PDB file of all heavy atoms in Angstrom:
ATOM      1  N   MET A   1     -44.548 -16.019 -12.929  1.00  0.00           N
ATOM      2  CA  MET A   1     -43.476 -15.064 -12.588  1.00  0.00           C
ATOM      3  C   MET A   1     -43.990 -13.636 -12.801  1.00  0.00           C
ATOM      4  O   MET A   1     -44.248 -12.917 -11.844  1.00  0.00           O
ATOM      5  CB  MET A   1     -42.242 -15.307 -13.430  1.00  0.00           C
ATOM      6  CG  MET A   1     -41.115 -14.332 -13.168  1.00  0.00           C
ATOM      7  SD  MET A   1     -39.623 -14.774 -14.067  1.00  0.00           S
ATOM      8  CE  MET A   1     -38.747 -13.253 -14.022  1.00  0.00           C
ATOM      9  N   ALA A   2     -44.204 -13.254 -14.014  1.00  0.00           N
ATOM     10  CA  ALA A   2     -44.685 -11.918 -14.374  1.00  0.00           C
ATOM     11  C   ALA A   2     -44.232 -10.852 -13.390  1.00  0.00           C
ATOM     12  O   ALA A   2     -43.058 -10.529 -13.342  1.00  0.00           O
ATOM     13  CB  ALA A   2     -46.191 -11.916 -14.534  1.00  0.00           C
ATOM     14  N   LEU A  21     -12.696  -8.753  -9.367  1.00  0.00           N
ATOM     15  CA  LEU A  21     -13.018  -7.886 -10.504  1.00  0.00           C
ATOM     16  C   LEU A  21     -14.522  -7.657 -10.671  1.00  0.00           C
ATOM     17  O   LEU A  21     -14.956  -6.497 -10.785  1.00  0.00           O
ATOM     18  CB  LEU A  21     -12.409  -8.448 -11.790  1.00  0.00           C
ATOM     19  CG  LEU A  21     -12.555  -7.566 -13.026  1.00  0.00           C
ATOM     20  CD1 LEU A  21     -11.943  -6.188 -12.786  1.00  0.00           C
ATOM     21  CD2 LEU A  21     -11.899  -8.227 -14.240  1.00  0.00           C
ATOM     22  N   GLY A  34     -24.400   7.208  -9.256  1.00  0.00           N
ATOM     23  CA  GLY A  34     -24.706   8.120  -8.164  1.00  0.00           C
ATOM     24  C   GLY A  34     -25.449   7.475  -7.016  1.00  0.00           C
ATOM     25  O   GLY A  34     -26.158   8.154  -6.258  1.00  0.00           O
ATOM     26  N   GLY A  42     -22.712  -7.857   1.195  1.00  0.00           N
ATOM     27  CA  GLY A  42     -21.821  -8.806   1.847  1.00  0.00           C
ATOM     28  C   GLY A  42     -21.296  -9.831   0.861  1.00  0.00           C
ATOM     29  O   GLY A  42     -21.832 -10.006  -0.237  1.00  0.00           O
ATOM     30  N   ILE A 149     -25.511  -6.906 -12.161  1.00  0.00           N
ATOM     31  CA  ILE A 149     -25.002  -8.168 -11.631  1.00  0.00           C
ATOM     32  C   ILE A 149     -23.620  -8.447 -12.215  1.00  0.00           C
ATOM     33  O   ILE A 149     -23.450  -8.539 -13.431  1.00  0.00           O
ATOM     34  CB  ILE A 149     -25.958  -9.327 -11.982  1.00  0.00           C
ATOM     35  CG1 ILE A 149     -27.299  -9.143 -11.265  1.00  0.00           C
ATOM     36  CG2 ILE A 149     -25.343 -10.675 -11.617  1.00  0.00           C
ATOM     37  CD1 ILE A 149     -28.368 -10.123 -11.705  1.00  0.00           C
ATOM     38  N   ALA A 188     -28.506   1.823 -27.534  1.00  0.00           N
ATOM     39  CA  ALA A 188     -28.124   3.177 -27.135  1.00  0.00           C
ATOM     40  C   ALA A 188     -27.940   4.090 -28.340  1.00  0.00           C
ATOM     41  O   ALA A 188     -28.163   5.308 -28.247  1.00  0.00           O
ATOM     42  CB  ALA A 188     -26.840   3.133 -26.307  1.00  0.00           C
ATOM     43  N   GLY A 234     -34.116 -25.461 -28.835  1.00  0.00           N
ATOM     44  CA  GLY A 234     -35.108 -25.320 -27.783  1.00  0.00           C
ATOM     45  C   GLY A 234     -36.381 -24.675 -28.297  1.00  0.00           C
ATOM     46  O   GLY A 234     -36.504 -24.331 -29.475  1.00  0.00           O
ATOM     47  N   VAL A 253     -42.721  -5.250 -29.516  1.00  0.00           N
ATOM     48  CA  VAL A 253     -41.637  -6.211 -29.297  1.00  0.00           C
ATOM     49  C   VAL A 253     -40.868  -6.372 -30.603  1.00  0.00           C
ATOM     50  O   VAL A 253     -41.433  -6.789 -31.624  1.00  0.00           O
ATOM     51  CB  VAL A 253     -42.171  -7.578 -28.838  1.00  0.00           C
ATOM     52  CG1 VAL A 253     -41.005  -8.580 -28.718  1.00  0.00           C
ATOM     53  CG2 VAL A 253     -42.907  -7.459 -27.512  1.00  0.00           C
ATOM     54  N   PHE A 271     -23.823 -24.800 -31.727  1.00  0.00           N
ATOM     55  CA  PHE A 271     -23.215 -23.481 -31.565  1.00  0.00           C
ATOM     56  C   PHE A 271     -22.687 -23.321 -30.143  1.00  0.00           C
ATOM     57  O   PHE A 271     -22.632 -24.277 -29.374  1.00  0.00           O
ATOM     58  CB  PHE A 271     -24.234 -22.397 -31.944  1.00  0.00           C
ATOM     59  CG  PHE A 271     -24.486 -22.335 -33.431  1.00  0.00           C
ATOM     60  CD1 PHE A 271     -25.422 -23.166 -34.021  1.00  0.00           C
ATOM     61  CD2 PHE A 271     -23.771 -21.467 -34.234  1.00  0.00           C
ATOM     62  CE1 PHE A 271     -25.649 -23.127 -35.392  1.00  0.00           C
ATOM     63  CE2 PHE A 271     -23.993 -21.413 -35.605  1.00  0.00           C
ATOM     64  CZ  PHE A 271     -24.931 -22.246 -36.186  1.00  0.00           C
ATOM     65  N   LEU A 292     -42.728 -15.708 -34.491  1.00  0.00           N
ATOM     66  CA  LEU A 292     -42.768 -14.437 -33.766  1.00  0.00           C
ATOM     67  C   LEU A 292     -43.414 -13.350 -34.624  1.00  0.00           C
ATOM     68  O   LEU A 292     -44.215 -12.538 -34.138  1.00  0.00           O
ATOM     69  CB  LEU A 292     -41.349 -14.026 -33.359  1.00  0.00           C
ATOM     70  CG  LEU A 292     -40.739 -14.804 -32.193  1.00  0.00           C
ATOM     71  CD1 LEU A 292     -39.229 -14.563 -32.108  1.00  0.00           C
ATOM     72  CD2 LEU A 292     -41.399 -14.402 -30.865  1.00  0.00           C
ATOM     73  N   ALA A 305     -30.355  -5.995 -40.051  1.00  0.00           N
ATOM     74  CA  ALA A 305     -31.496  -5.067 -40.128  1.00  0.00           C
ATOM     75  C   ALA A 305     -32.136  -4.845 -38.759  1.00  0.00           C
ATOM     76  O   ALA A 305     -33.083  -4.051 -38.640  1.00  0.00           O
ATOM     77  CB  ALA A 305     -32.539  -5.604 -41.104  1.00  0.00           C
ATOM     78  N   THR A 330     -24.095  13.891 -17.113  1.00  0.00           N
ATOM     79  CA  THR A 330     -22.675  13.552 -17.275  1.00  0.00           C
ATOM     80  C   THR A 330     -22.259  12.687 -16.091  1.00  0.00           C
ATOM     81  O   THR A 330     -22.314  13.141 -14.942  1.00  0.00           O
ATOM     82  CB  THR A 330     -21.804  14.805 -17.314  1.00  0.00           C
ATOM     83  OG1 THR A 330     -22.235  15.641 -18.399  1.00  0.00           O
ATOM     84  CG2 THR A 330     -20.337  14.433 -17.497  1.00  0.00           C
ATOM     85  N   GLU A 364      11.562 -18.008 -10.818  1.00  0.00           N
ATOM     86  CA  GLU A 364      12.023 -18.602  -9.568  1.00  0.00           C
ATOM     87  C   GLU A 364      12.683 -17.531  -8.717  1.00  0.00           C
ATOM     88  O   GLU A 364      13.204 -16.549  -9.235  1.00  0.00           O
ATOM     89  CB  GLU A 364      13.012 -19.742  -9.850  1.00  0.00           C
ATOM     90  CG  GLU A 364      14.241 -19.317 -10.646  1.00  0.00           C
ATOM     91  CD  GLU A 364      15.208 -20.472 -10.860  1.00  0.00           C
ATOM     92  OE1 GLU A 364      15.364 -21.285  -9.949  1.00  0.00           O
ATOM     93  OE2 GLU A 364      15.787 -20.540 -11.963  1.00  0.00           O
ATOM     94  N   CYS A 416      20.865 -25.277  30.838  1.00  0.00           N
ATOM     95  CA  CYS A 416      21.004 -24.406  32.011  1.00  0.00           C
ATOM     96  C   CYS A 416      21.266 -22.944  31.678  1.00  0.00           C
ATOM     97  O   CYS A 416      21.094 -22.079  32.541  1.00  0.00           O
ATOM     98  CB  CYS A 416      22.124 -24.942  32.916  1.00  0.00           C
ATOM     99  SG  CYS A 416      21.776 -26.590  33.558  1.00  0.00           S
ATOM    100  N   ARG A 457      34.091  -5.144  17.668  1.00  0.00           N
ATOM    101  CA  ARG A 457      34.254  -3.693  17.611  1.00  0.00           C
ATOM    102  C   ARG A 457      35.460  -3.223  18.439  1.00  0.00           C
ATOM    103  O   ARG A 457      36.296  -2.450  17.971  1.00  0.00           O
ATOM    104  CB  ARG A 457      32.955  -3.042  18.104  1.00  0.00           C
ATOM    105  CG  ARG A 457      32.848  -1.553  17.835  1.00  0.00           C
ATOM    106  CD  ARG A 457      31.468  -1.011  18.245  1.00  0.00           C
ATOM    107  NE  ARG A 457      30.407  -1.647  17.476  1.00  0.00           N
ATOM    108  CZ  ARG A 457      29.457  -2.422  18.003  1.00  0.00           C
ATOM    109  NH1 ARG A 457      29.457  -2.661  19.301  1.00  0.00           N
ATOM    110  NH2 ARG A 457      28.530  -2.949  17.248  1.00  0.00           N
ATOM    111  N   ASN A 466      46.968  -0.058  17.364  1.00  0.00           N
ATOM    112  CA  ASN A 466      48.217  -0.633  17.869  1.00  0.00           C
ATOM    113  C   ASN A 466      48.367  -0.524  19.387  1.00  0.00           C
ATOM    114  O   ASN A 466      49.465  -0.322  19.919  1.00  0.00           O
ATOM    115  CB  ASN A 466      49.435   0.022  17.186  1.00  0.00           C
ATOM    116  CG  ASN A 466      49.481  -0.256  15.694  1.00  0.00           C
ATOM    117  OD1 ASN A 466      49.269  -1.401  15.273  1.00  0.00           O
ATOM    118  ND2 ASN A 466      49.747   0.767  14.915  1.00  0.00           N
ATOM    119  N   GLN A 504      39.714 -21.661  16.265  1.00  0.00           N
ATOM    120  CA  GLN A 504      41.081 -21.189  16.039  1.00  0.00           C
ATOM    121  C   GLN A 504      41.853 -22.139  15.136  1.00  0.00           C
ATOM    122  O   GLN A 504      42.609 -21.706  14.253  1.00  0.00           O
ATOM    123  CB  GLN A 504      41.792 -21.016  17.377  1.00  0.00           C
ATOM    124  CG  GLN A 504      41.246 -19.864  18.210  1.00  0.00           C
ATOM    125  CD  GLN A 504      41.871 -19.788  19.586  1.00  0.00           C
ATOM    126  OE1 GLN A 504      42.336 -20.798  20.131  1.00  0.00           O
ATOM    127  NE2 GLN A 504      41.891 -18.590  20.166  1.00  0.00           N
ATOM    128  N   ALA A 541      36.024 -15.239  20.255  1.00  0.00           N
ATOM    129  CA  ALA A 541      36.660 -15.985  19.164  1.00  0.00           C
ATOM    130  C   ALA A 541      35.976 -15.705  17.838  1.00  0.00           C
ATOM    131  O   ALA A 541      36.630 -15.421  16.817  1.00  0.00           O
ATOM    132  CB  ALA A 541      36.631 -17.484  19.473  1.00  0.00           C
ATOM    133  N   GLN A 566      28.876  -2.654  12.952  1.00  0.00           N
ATOM    134  CA  GLN A 566      27.966  -1.688  13.578  1.00  0.00           C
ATOM    135  C   GLN A 566      26.515  -2.150  13.510  1.00  0.00           C
ATOM    136  O   GLN A 566      25.753  -2.015  14.469  1.00  0.00           O
ATOM    137  CB  GLN A 566      28.115  -0.325  12.893  1.00  0.00           C
ATOM    138  CG  GLN A 566      27.268   0.784  13.510  1.00  0.00           C
ATOM    139  CD  GLN A 566      27.660   1.109  14.937  1.00  0.00           C
ATOM    140  OE1 GLN A 566      28.845   1.064  15.278  1.00  0.00           O
ATOM    141  NE2 GLN A 566      26.683   1.401  15.775  1.00  0.00           N
ATOM    142  N   VAL A 575      22.242 -15.549  16.998  1.00  0.00           N
ATOM    143  CA  VAL A 575      20.778 -15.652  17.019  1.00  0.00           C
ATOM    144  C   VAL A 575      20.312 -16.792  16.130  1.00  0.00           C
ATOM    145  O   VAL A 575      19.460 -17.604  16.515  1.00  0.00           O
ATOM    146  CB  VAL A 575      20.139 -14.321  16.571  1.00  0.00           C
ATOM    147  CG1 VAL A 575      18.634 -14.477  16.387  1.00  0.00           C
ATOM    148  CG2 VAL A 575      20.425 -13.230  17.584  1.00  0.00           C
TER     149      VAL A 575
END
Side-chain angles (χ1 to χ4, degrees):
M1 178 174 161
L21 186 57
I149 294 172
V253 176
F271 288 85
L292 285 166
T330 302
E364 58 178 323
C416 298
R457 192 175 298 116
N466 296 315
Q504 291 174 334
Q566 183 64 36
V575 172

